[in-house]
Amino acid sequence: MRRKQDLFSEKDKYGKTVNIDRPIIDEVEKIAQNHNTSMATIALAWLKTKVTTPIVGATKAHHLDALEEAIKINLSKDEVHALEAPYKAHDLEGVMADNRDREHNWTQYLTNSAEK
């Protein structure tokens, strides 16, 4: 699994929030094993319960494979609840936090639009 192979992501990229997010990551992994699919597929299947059409930025063929598989999976209400129940809000980390300080970020756009 990527999270076991990609050690930098926990230590450097998401280190401050990994303990908060760990219960969700573990639940995604458990549900993926139950469906005999990838964690990415389960994440996309969950997203499908929230929006009509997820926008996926696929840069590799296996990203499209995960999306195709997610279309076929309908998570049960219990599975959705299991993914959402351990959620705890926390400050942004990684790329999202880095973008917050950029001169032309989306929050500045929204603030300026609202003032017009």
Tab-separated table of all heavy atoms in Angstrom, residues 6-59:
chain	number	residue	atom	x	y	z
A	6	ASP	N	5.315	5.010	1.163
A	6	ASP	CA	5.600	6.430	1.022
A	6	ASP	C	5.827	7.053	2.400
A	6	ASP	O	5.021	7.824	2.885
A	6	ASP	CB	4.441	7.103	0.305
A	6	ASP	CG	4.784	8.470	-0.249
A	6	ASP	OD1	5.935	8.892	-0.082
A	6	ASP	OD2	3.886	9.097	-0.827
A	7	LEU	N	6.914	6.700	3.033
A	7	LEU	CA	7.157	7.120	4.409
A	7	LEU	C	7.280	8.618	4.565
A	7	LEU	O	6.955	9.164	5.605
A	7	LEU	CB	8.403	6.428	4.944
A	7	LEU	CG	8.329	4.908	5.007
A	7	LEU	CD1	9.655	4.338	5.484
A	7	LEU	CD2	7.199	4.446	5.893
A	8	PHE	N	7.735	9.323	3.528
A	8	PHE	CA	7.894	10.769	3.661
A	8	PHE	C	6.561	11.451	3.926
A	8	PHE	O	6.490	12.456	4.591
A	8	PHE	CB	8.574	11.379	2.429
A	8	PHE	CG	7.606	11.841	1.376
A	8	PHE	CD1	7.138	13.148	1.389
A	8	PHE	CD2	7.146	10.983	0.396
A	8	PHE	CE1	6.235	13.580	0.429
A	8	PHE	CE2	6.252	11.413	-0.556
A	8	PHE	CZ	5.798	12.711	-0.537
A	9	SER	N	5.477	10.890	3.413
A	9	SER	CA	4.191	11.574	3.545
A	9	SER	C	3.769	11.707	4.990
A	9	SER	O	3.264	12.742	5.391
A	9	SER	CB	3.109	10.858	2.734
A	9	SER	OG	2.821	9.602	3.282
A	10	GLU	N	3.978	10.691	5.792
A	10	GLU	CA	3.607	10.787	7.194
A	10	GLU	C	4.572	11.684	7.954
A	10	GLU	O	4.161	12.524	8.738
A	10	GLU	CB	3.569	9.406	7.831
A	10	GLU	CG	2.382	8.595	7.391
A	10	GLU	CD	2.233	7.324	8.183
A	10	GLU	OE1	2.960	7.137	9.178
A	10	GLU	OE2	1.380	6.516	7.810
A	11	LYS	N	5.839	11.508	7.732
A	11	LYS	CA	6.840	12.215	8.521
A	11	LYS	C	6.950	13.685	8.150
A	11	LYS	O	6.934	14.555	9.013
A	11	LYS	CB	8.197	11.525	8.341
A	11	LYS	CG	9.282	12.105	9.244
A	11	LYS	CD	10.584	11.358	9.064
A	11	LYS	CE	11.211	11.826	7.780
A	11	LYS	NZ	12.546	11.452	7.525
A	12	ASP	N	7.030	13.972	6.866
A	12	ASP	CA	7.301	15.333	6.435
A	12	ASP	C	6.075	16.089	5.943
A	12	ASP	O	5.919	17.260	6.196
A	12	ASP	CB	8.353	15.333	5.311
A	12	ASP	CG	9.677	14.765	5.775
A	12	ASP	OD1	10.025	14.952	6.956
A	12	ASP	OD2	10.351	14.124	4.957
A	13	LYS	N	5.215	15.426	5.231
A	13	LYS	CA	4.106	16.114	4.593
A	13	LYS	C	2.889	16.246	5.502
A	13	LYS	O	2.253	17.275	5.541
A	13	LYS	CB	3.721	15.361	3.313
A	13	LYS	CG	2.768	16.107	2.428
A	13	LYS	CD	2.601	15.364	1.114
A	13	LYS	CE	1.672	16.109	0.191
A	13	LYS	NZ	1.432	15.380	-1.040
A	14	TYR	N	2.566	15.200	6.244
A	14	TYR	CA	1.374	15.212	7.080
A	14	TYR	C	1.676	14.882	8.534
A	14	TYR	O	0.791	14.485	9.280
A	14	TYR	CB	0.344	14.215	6.545
A	14	TYR	CG	-0.059	14.494	5.124
A	14	TYR	CD1	0.304	13.647	4.089
A	14	TYR	CD2	-0.794	15.630	4.812
A	14	TYR	CE1	-0.061	13.914	2.782
A	14	TYR	CE2	-1.163	15.908	3.511
A	14	TYR	CZ	-0.795	15.041	2.511
A	14	TYR	OH	-1.158	15.311	1.215
A	15	GLY	N	2.900	15.035	8.945
A	15	GLY	CA	3.325	14.628	10.272
A	15	GLY	C	2.518	15.194	11.419
A	15	GLY	O	2.262	14.518	12.405
A	16	LYS	N	2.095	16.429	11.308
A	16	LYS	CA	1.380	17.066	12.409
A	16	LYS	C	-0.036	16.523	12.588
A	16	LYS	O	-0.607	16.638	13.658
A	16	LYS	CB	1.323	18.579	12.202
A	16	LYS	CG	2.676	19.242	12.265
A	16	LYS	CD	2.553	20.722	11.986
A	16	LYS	CE	3.919	21.366	11.912
A	16	LYS	NZ	3.834	22.762	11.492
A	17	THR	N	-0.616	15.948	11.554
A	17	THR	CA	-2.008	15.508	11.647
A	17	THR	C	-2.183	14.003	11.486
A	17	THR	O	-3.300	13.512	11.568
A	17	THR	CB	-2.873	16.211	10.584
A	17	THR	OG1	-2.390	15.848	9.284
A	17	THR	CG2	-2.856	17.710	10.763
A	18	VAL	N	-1.106	13.276	11.295
A	18	VAL	CA	-1.241	11.846	11.009
A	18	VAL	C	-1.937	11.106	12.148
A	18	VAL	O	-2.746	10.210	11.903
A	18	VAL	CB	0.118	11.206	10.645
A	18	VAL	CG1	1.036	11.090	11.849
A	18	VAL	CG2	-0.094	9.859	9.986
A	19	ASN	N	-1.697	11.472	13.394
A	19	ASN	CA	-2.364	10.779	14.504
A	19	ASN	C	-3.847	11.108	14.574
A	19	ASN	O	-4.649	10.276	14.990
A	19	ASN	CB	-1.674	11.102	15.827
A	19	ASN	CG	-0.292	10.482	15.901
A	19	ASN	OD1	-0.039	9.446	15.293
A	19	ASN	ND2	0.603	11.115	16.628
A	20	ILE	N	-4.219	12.309	14.154
A	20	ILE	CA	-5.631	12.684	14.112
A	20	ILE	C	-6.339	11.928	12.985
A	20	ILE	O	-7.463	11.457	13.141
A	20	ILE	CB	-5.785	14.209	13.903
A	20	ILE	CG1	-5.188	14.963	15.089
A	20	ILE	CG2	-7.248	14.591	13.685
A	20	ILE	CD1	-5.058	16.464	14.851
A	21	ASP	N	-5.660	11.793	11.853
A	21	ASP	CA	-6.255	11.165	10.672
A	21	ASP	C	-6.115	9.645	10.642
A	21	ASP	O	-6.789	8.987	9.852
A	21	ASP	CB	-5.639	11.746	9.402
A	21	ASP	CG	-5.953	13.223	9.221
A	21	ASP	OD1	-6.997	13.671	9.741
A	21	ASP	OD2	-5.168	13.920	8.561
A	22	ARG	N	-5.257	9.091	11.483
A	22	ARG	CA	-4.986	7.643	11.458
A	22	ARG	C	-6.259	6.791	11.530
A	22	ARG	O	-6.391	5.820	10.761
A	22	ARG	CB	-4.030	7.270	12.589
A	22	ARG	CG	-3.840	5.786	12.812
A	22	ARG	CD	-3.059	5.061	11.759
A	22	ARG	NE	-1.777	5.690	11.601
A	22	ARG	CZ	-1.116	5.741	10.452
A	22	ARG	NH1	-1.619	5.197	9.373
A	22	ARG	NH2	0.042	6.338	10.364
A	23	PRO	N	-7.238	7.078	12.410
A	23	PRO	CA	-8.435	6.230	12.442
A	23	PRO	C	-9.184	6.188	11.105
A	23	PRO	O	-9.712	5.141	10.725
A	23	PRO	CB	-9.304	6.858	13.539
A	23	PRO	CG	-8.328	7.598	14.409
A	23	PRO	CD	-7.249	8.082	13.471
A	24	ILE	N	-9.196	7.287	10.393
A	24	ILE	CA	-9.862	7.320	9.088
A	24	ILE	C	-9.054	6.512	8.077
A	24	ILE	O	-9.619	5.718	7.313
A	24	ILE	CB	-10.069	8.765	8.599
A	24	ILE	CG1	-10.959	9.530	9.580
A	24	ILE	CG2	-10.664	8.787	7.183
A	24	ILE	CD1	-10.994	11.022	9.360
A	25	ILE	N	-7.754	6.701	8.071
A	25	ILE	CA	-6.890	5.955	7.149
A	25	ILE	C	-7.045	4.457	7.381
A	25	ILE	O	-7.176	3.678	6.435
A	25	ILE	CB	-5.418	6.390	7.319
A	25	ILE	CG1	-5.251	7.859	6.921
A	25	ILE	CG2	-4.486	5.485	6.521
A	25	ILE	CD1	-3.940	8.482	7.359
A	26	ASP	N	-7.058	4.050	8.652
A	26	ASP	CA	-7.217	2.630	8.976
A	26	ASP	C	-8.573	2.102	8.518
A	26	ASP	O	-8.682	0.972	8.034
A	26	ASP	CB	-7.043	2.405	10.482
A	26	ASP	CG	-5.608	2.629	10.935
A	26	ASP	OD1	-4.684	2.644	10.084
A	26	ASP	OD2	-5.406	2.803	12.158
A	27	GLU	N	-9.614	2.915	8.649
A	27	GLU	CA	-10.952	2.491	8.218
A	27	GLU	C	-11.021	2.376	6.702
A	27	GLU	O	-11.623	1.437	6.176
A	27	GLU	CB	-12.005	3.470	8.738
A	27	GLU	CG	-13.402	2.943	8.671
A	27	GLU	CD	-13.635	1.677	9.487
A	27	GLU	OE1	-13.103	1.555	10.601
A	27	GLU	OE2	-14.371	0.796	8.992
A	28	VAL	N	-10.396	3.306	5.987
A	28	VAL	CA	-10.347	3.213	4.517
A	28	VAL	C	-9.653	1.909	4.122
A	28	VAL	O	-10.127	1.184	3.237
A	28	VAL	CB	-9.624	4.433	3.898
A	28	VAL	CG1	-9.380	4.222	2.408
A	28	VAL	CG2	-10.413	5.707	4.134
A	29	GLU	N	-8.552	1.610	4.792
A	29	GLU	CA	-7.823	0.387	4.482
A	29	GLU	C	-8.681	-0.857	4.757
A	29	GLU	O	-8.726	-1.786	3.939
A	29	GLU	CB	-6.532	0.328	5.298
A	29	GLU	CG	-5.655	-0.850	4.957
A	29	GLU	CD	-4.304	-0.782	5.647
A	29	GLU	OE1	-4.212	-0.248	6.765
A	29	GLU	OE2	-3.336	-1.276	5.042
A	30	LYS	N	-9.389	-0.874	5.869
A	30	LYS	CA	-10.247	-2.013	6.225
A	30	LYS	C	-11.365	-2.199	5.200
A	30	LYS	O	-11.619	-3.318	4.731
A	30	LYS	CB	-10.841	-1.787	7.618
A	30	LYS	CG	-11.742	-2.883	8.107
A	30	LYS	CD	-12.211	-2.559	9.523
A	30	LYS	CE	-13.688	-2.802	9.637
A	30	LYS	NZ	-14.245	-2.301	10.887
A	31	ILE	N	-12.026	-1.116	4.822
A	31	ILE	CA	-13.113	-1.200	3.844
A	31	ILE	C	-12.564	-1.625	2.481
A	31	ILE	O	-13.188	-2.420	1.769
A	31	ILE	CB	-13.890	0.133	3.775
A	31	ILE	CG1	-14.620	0.368	5.108
A	31	ILE	CG2	-14.880	0.133	2.608
A	31	ILE	CD1	-15.221	1.760	5.242
A	32	ALA	N	-11.395	-1.128	2.121
A	32	ALA	CA	-10.767	-1.526	0.851
A	32	ALA	C	-10.493	-3.029	0.839
A	32	ALA	O	-10.743	-3.706	-0.173
A	32	ALA	CB	-9.477	-0.741	0.626
A	33	GLN	N	-10.003	-3.548	1.943
A	33	GLN	CA	-9.756	-4.994	2.021
A	33	GLN	C	-11.061	-5.774	1.907
A	33	GLN	O	-11.120	-6.799	1.219
A	33	GLN	CB	-9.027	-5.338	3.323
A	33	GLN	CG	-7.597	-4.868	3.340
A	33	GLN	CD	-6.930	-5.012	4.699
A	33	GLN	OE1	-7.565	-5.291	5.703
A	33	GLN	NE2	-5.619	-4.790	4.725
A	34	ASN	N	-12.119	-5.280	2.555
A	34	ASN	CA	-13.424	-5.959	2.484
A	34	ASN	C	-13.986	-5.976	1.070
A	34	ASN	O	-14.683	-6.909	0.693
A	34	ASN	CB	-14.434	-5.297	3.429
A	34	ASN	CG	-14.110	-5.551	4.884
A	34	ASN	OD1	-13.349	-6.448	5.225
A	34	ASN	ND2	-14.685	-4.739	5.752
A	35	HIS	N	-13.685	-4.927	0.292
A	35	HIS	CA	-14.161	-4.847	-1.090
A	35	HIS	C	-13.129	-5.379	-2.085
A	35	HIS	O	-13.359	-5.319	-3.296
A	35	HIS	CB	-14.505	-3.390	-1.444
A	35	HIS	CG	-15.804	-2.920	-0.875
A	35	HIS	ND1	-17.001	-3.077	-1.526
A	35	HIS	CD2	-16.088	-2.297	0.298
A	35	HIS	CE1	-17.972	-2.566	-0.796
A	35	HIS	NE2	-17.449	-2.083	0.328
A	36	ASN	N	-11.986	-5.813	-1.569
A	36	ASN	CA	-10.899	-6.317	-2.419
A	36	ASN	C	-10.511	-5.290	-3.480
A	36	ASN	O	-10.449	-5.586	-4.670
A	36	ASN	CB	-11.280	-7.654	-3.060
A	36	ASN	CG	-10.068	-8.361	-3.632
A	36	ASN	OD1	-8.956	-8.219	-3.137
A	36	ASN	ND2	-10.285	-9.127	-4.689
A	37	THR	N	-10.261	-4.060	-3.018
A	37	THR	CA	-9.911	-2.974	-3.925
A	37	THR	C	-8.896	-2.061	-3.240
A	37	THR	O	-8.472	-2.318	-2.119
A	37	THR	CB	-11.181	-2.216	-4.376
A	37	THR	OG1	-10.846	-1.371	-5.480
A	37	THR	CG2	-11.802	-1.411	-3.257
A	38	SER	N	-8.537	-0.986	-3.903
A	38	SER	CA	-7.535	-0.067	-3.367
A	38	SER	C	-8.165	0.975	-2.441
A	38	SER	O	-9.364	1.241	-2.487
A	38	SER	CB	-6.823	0.656	-4.510
A	38	SER	OG	-7.713	1.573	-5.124
A	39	MET	N	-7.323	1.564	-1.624
A	39	MET	CA	-7.768	2.640	-0.743
A	39	MET	C	-8.219	3.840	-1.570
A	39	MET	O	-9.170	4.524	-1.197
A	39	MET	CB	-6.651	3.015	0.229
A	39	MET	CG	-6.361	1.915	1.241
A	39	MET	SD	-4.905	2.218	2.267
A	39	MET	CE	-5.451	3.610	3.254
A	40	ALA	N	-7.552	4.096	-2.692
A	40	ALA	CA	-7.950	5.207	-3.572
A	40	ALA	C	-9.372	4.990	-4.090
A	40	ALA	O	-10.170	5.930	-4.162
A	40	ALA	CB	-6.975	5.343	-4.734
A	41	THR	N	-9.693	3.761	-4.429
A	41	THR	CA	-11.040	3.447	-4.913
A	41	THR	C	-12.079	3.728	-3.839
A	41	THR	O	-13.136	4.306	-4.115
A	41	THR	CB	-11.114	1.974	-5.371
A	41	THR	OG1	-10.228	1.805	-6.479
A	41	THR	CG2	-12.514	1.580	-5.771
A	42	ILE	N	-11.782	3.360	-2.598
A	42	ILE	CA	-12.726	3.601	-1.507
A	42	ILE	C	-12.871	5.095	-1.258
A	42	ILE	O	-13.979	5.590	-1.036
A	42	ILE	CB	-12.299	2.855	-0.226
A	42	ILE	CG1	-12.338	1.344	-0.466
A	42	ILE	CG2	-13.152	3.261	0.974
A	42	ILE	CD1	-13.684	0.803	-0.941
A	43	ALA	N	-11.774	5.838	-1.326
A	43	ALA	CA	-11.856	7.291	-1.155
A	43	ALA	C	-12.746	7.904	-2.231
A	43	ALA	O	-13.583	8.771	-1.946
A	43	ALA	CB	-10.457	7.906	-1.191
A	44	LEU	N	-12.609	7.453	-3.455
A	44	LEU	CA	-13.443	7.964	-4.545
A	44	LEU	C	-14.892	7.510	-4.399
A	44	LEU	O	-15.817	8.268	-4.694
A	44	LEU	CB	-12.873	7.531	-5.894
A	44	LEU	CG	-11.561	8.208	-6.287
A	44	LEU	CD1	-10.899	7.454	-7.440
A	44	LEU	CD2	-11.795	9.669	-6.642
A	45	ALA	N	-15.106	6.286	-3.929
A	45	ALA	CA	-16.470	5.805	-3.702
A	45	ALA	C	-17.139	6.629	-2.603
A	45	ALA	O	-18.335	6.935	-2.690
A	45	ALA	CB	-16.454	4.319	-3.330
A	46	TRP	N	-16.380	7.013	-1.568
A	46	TRP	CA	-16.933	7.875	-0.517
A	46	TRP	C	-17.277	9.245	-1.110
A	46	TRP	O	-18.352	9.770	-0.843
A	46	TRP	CB	-15.945	8.030	0.635
A	46	TRP	CG	-16.399	9.057	1.618
A	46	TRP	CD1	-17.290	8.877	2.639
A	46	TRP	CD2	-16.034	10.439	1.643
A	46	TRP	NE1	-17.494	10.067	3.303
A	46	TRP	CE2	-16.734	11.042	2.710
A	46	TRP	CE3	-15.190	11.225	0.872
A	46	TRP	CZ2	-16.603	12.389	3.018
A	46	TRP	CZ3	-15.059	12.567	1.180
A	46	TRP	CH2	-15.767	13.134	2.244
A	47	LEU	N	-16.366	9.794	-1.915
A	47	LEU	CA	-16.604	11.102	-2.527
A	47	LEU	C	-17.888	11.083	-3.355
A	47	LEU	O	-18.647	12.044	-3.369
A	47	LEU	CB	-15.406	11.515	-3.387
A	47	LEU	CG	-15.474	12.887	-4.020
A	47	LEU	CD1	-15.561	13.984	-2.954
A	47	LEU	CD2	-14.257	13.112	-4.904
A	48	LYS	N	-18.125	9.970	-3.997
A	48	LYS	CA	-19.334	9.794	-4.817
A	48	LYS	C	-20.606	9.940	-3.974
A	48	LYS	O	-21.644	10.321	-4.496
A	48	LYS	CB	-19.267	8.414	-5.466
A	48	LYS	CG	-20.168	8.192	-6.627
A	48	LYS	CD	-19.900	6.836	-7.255
A	48	LYS	CE	-20.327	5.730	-6.303
A	48	LYS	NZ	-20.367	4.405	-6.917
A	49	THR	N	-20.517	9.688	-2.665
A	49	THR	CA	-21.695	9.846	-1.799
A	49	THR	C	-21.925	11.304	-1.431
A	49	THR	O	-22.963	11.641	-0.862
A	49	THR	CB	-21.567	9.023	-0.489
A	49	THR	OG1	-20.573	9.604	0.364
A	49	THR	CG2	-21.259	7.568	-0.778
A	50	LYS	N	-20.983	12.188	-1.769
A	50	LYS	CA	-21.066	13.592	-1.381
A	50	LYS	C	-21.349	14.537	-2.542
A	50	LYS	O	-21.887	15.611	-2.340
A	50	LYS	CB	-19.754	14.035	-0.704
A	50	LYS	CG	-19.377	13.204	0.485
A	50	LYS	CD	-20.449	13.311	1.546
A	50	LYS	CE	-20.296	12.248	2.584
A	50	LYS	NZ	-21.503	12.049	3.361
A	51	VAL	N	-20.926	14.166	-3.727
A	51	VAL	CA	-21.093	15.037	-4.890
A	51	VAL	C	-21.654	14.229	-6.059
A	51	VAL	O	-21.518	13.012	-6.104
A	51	VAL	CB	-19.764	15.705	-5.317
A	51	VAL	CG1	-19.228	16.605	-4.226
A	51	VAL	CG2	-18.729	14.682	-5.716
A	52	THR	N	-22.260	14.912	-6.994
A	52	THR	CA	-22.826	14.240	-8.149
A	52	THR	C	-21.738	13.714	-9.070
A	52	THR	O	-21.776	12.582	-9.520
A	52	THR	CB	-23.727	15.209	-8.937
A	52	THR	OG1	-24.709	15.726	-8.045
A	52	THR	CG2	-24.395	14.519	-10.096
A	53	THR	N	-20.739	14.546	-9.343
A	53	THR	CA	-19.671	14.167	-10.260
A	53	THR	C	-18.327	14.590	-9.695
A	53	THR	O	-17.973	15.762	-9.747
A	53	THR	CB	-19.869	14.844	-11.635
A	53	THR	OG1	-21.180	14.581	-12.094
A	53	THR	CG2	-18.867	14.350	-12.642
A	54	PRO	N	-17.570	13.639	-9.145
A	54	PRO	CA	-16.241	14.007	-8.656
A	54	PRO	C	-15.333	14.411	-9.809
A	54	PRO	O	-15.405	13.838	-10.891
A	54	PRO	CB	-15.710	12.734	-8.004
A	54	PRO	CG	-16.795	11.731	-8.059
A	54	PRO	CD	-17.878	12.251	-8.948
A	55	ILE	N	-14.529	15.409	-9.577
A	55	ILE	CA	-13.531	15.819	-10.566
A	55	ILE	C	-12.213	15.195	-10.149
A	55	ILE	O	-11.705	15.469	-9.063
A	55	ILE	CB	-13.413	17.348	-10.646
A	55	ILE	CG1	-14.745	17.944	-11.088
A	55	ILE	CG2	-12.280	17.753	-11.589
A	55	ILE	CD1	-14.814	19.445	-11.025
A	56	VAL	N	-11.680	14.353	-10.995
A	56	VAL	CA	-10.476	13.610	-10.668
A	56	VAL	C	-9.359	14.056	-11.591
A	56	VAL	O	-9.521	14.054	-12.812
A	56	VAL	CB	-10.712	12.088	-10.820
A	56	VAL	CG1	-9.442	11.315	-10.529
A	56	VAL	CG2	-11.844	11.644	-9.908
A	57	GLY	N	-8.242	14.446	-11.012
A	57	GLY	CA	-7.074	14.820	-11.800
A	57	GLY	C	-6.175	13.610	-11.968
A	57	GLY	O	-5.306	13.362	-11.144
A	58	ALA	N	-6.410	12.830	-12.979
A	58	ALA	CA	-5.635	11.612	-13.202
A	58	ALA	C	-4.375	11.923	-13.987
A	58	ALA	O	-4.430	12.527	-15.053
A	58	ALA	CB	-6.480	10.592	-13.950
A	59	THR	N	-3.243	11.517	-13.436
A	59	THR	CA	-1.972	11.694	-14.139
A	59	THR	C	-1.349	10.365	-14.528
A	59	THR	O	-0.347	10.340	-15.233
A	59	THR	CB	-0.975	12.482	-13.271
A	59	THR	OG1	-0.784	11.780	-12.036
A	59	THR	CG2	-1.475	13.900	-13.004
